Amino acid sequence: MEAVLAHLRDAIARGEYAVGAKLPSEAALGKEFEVSRSVVREALRGLQALGLTVSRTGKGTFVVADEPVDNPRFGSYSARDLLEVRRHVEIPAAGYAALRHTADDLGLLTDLLERMARETDDTAWVALDSLFHITVAQASGNPVFGKVIEEIRDALARQSAFLNQRGDRRAESDAEHRRLVDAIAGGQQDAATEAMAHHLANVEHALSDIVGRPR
């Protein structure tokens, strides 16, 4: 997905696909890059998140800009929407999780860490990533935190897949998650909030890096 997205983004920037042009179909792109249509679909979602294309039902995907927007969209929410809410929900939720988690919560989080470390499929890893954040929120002992993160689950998954085009981001995220779980397991409220704040700051930095990547 990362390679297909990078190629299409560069092609749009070079004018190979001008503003107003229609991109090849998913099937055609899959054949050209020798990847599945699901991979192509994720790459096209990335282009839409960057504001470079729009998808028109029954007509295809069309180029609408040759430069990315500053605030990408992931489904119904923008990157800014997500970051603002996540800072106000996930940081305090992590602190409460350190104080209130159960043995089952900790077992689930540890299991997710191990599964993410072993996972070789990017799509499966993204699904686990979203589940990890929901589980942290639920471990807070306040069901409202969990409901809020569940509400934005699809957008989080899309954003996570988008961030993975920066090749080192997945490994960084795994390490950040592990530090967070260590703090929760140790009952260290301040360390848990700091770990989540650090994780979200790195999400923001990775987004800025991808959007601002030079042509």
Side-chain angles (χ1 to χ4, degrees), residues 1-5 30 33-45 121 123:
M1 186 278 286
E2 295 90 340
V4 175
L5 176 56
F33 294 107
E34 300 182 342
V35 296
S36 68
R37 290 183 67 170
S38 63
V39 170
V40 172
R41 197 170 298 121
E42 285 299 322
L44 293 178
R45 281 184 174 181
D121 181 79
T123 300

Side-chain angles (χ1 to χ4, degrees), residues 40-77:
V40 172
R41 197 170 298 121
E42 285 299 322
L44 293 178
R45 281 184 174 181
L47 291 178
Q48 290 183 58
L50 286 166
L52 297 173
T53 63
V54 295
S55 179
R56 296 171 184 156
T57 305
K59 295 182 179 180
T61 299
F62 295 82
V63 178
V64 294
D66 60 3
E67 293 184 346
V69 295
D70 292 332
N71 187 26
R73 292 195 68 82
F74 302 101
S76 301
Y77 307 108

Side-chain angles (χ1 to χ4, degrees), residues 101-118 132 135-136 177-178 180-182 184-186:
H101 69 272
T102 65
D104 285 344
D105 292 329
L106 194 56
L108 285 171
L109 289 170
T110 302
D111 180 63
L112 285 168
L113 286 179
E114 293 172 354
R115 290 168 64 188
M116 293 173 80
R118 294 193 306 265
F132 176 86
T135 304
V136 171
H177 287 166
R178 189 165 295 280
L180 173 60
V181 173
D182 287 345
I184 290 173

Side-chain angles (χ1 to χ4, degrees), residues 125-137:
W125 184 91
V126 163
L128 291 171
D129 182 40
S130 299
L131 182 56
F132 176 86
H133 283 275
I134 290 171
T135 304
V136 171

Side-chain angles (χ1 to χ4, degrees), residues 191-209:
T193 57
E194 288 172 8
M196 183 63 84
H198 178 70
H199 177 59
L200 295 181
N202 284 345
V203 166
E204 184 173 21
H205 293 157
L207 278 165
S208 297
D209 180 51

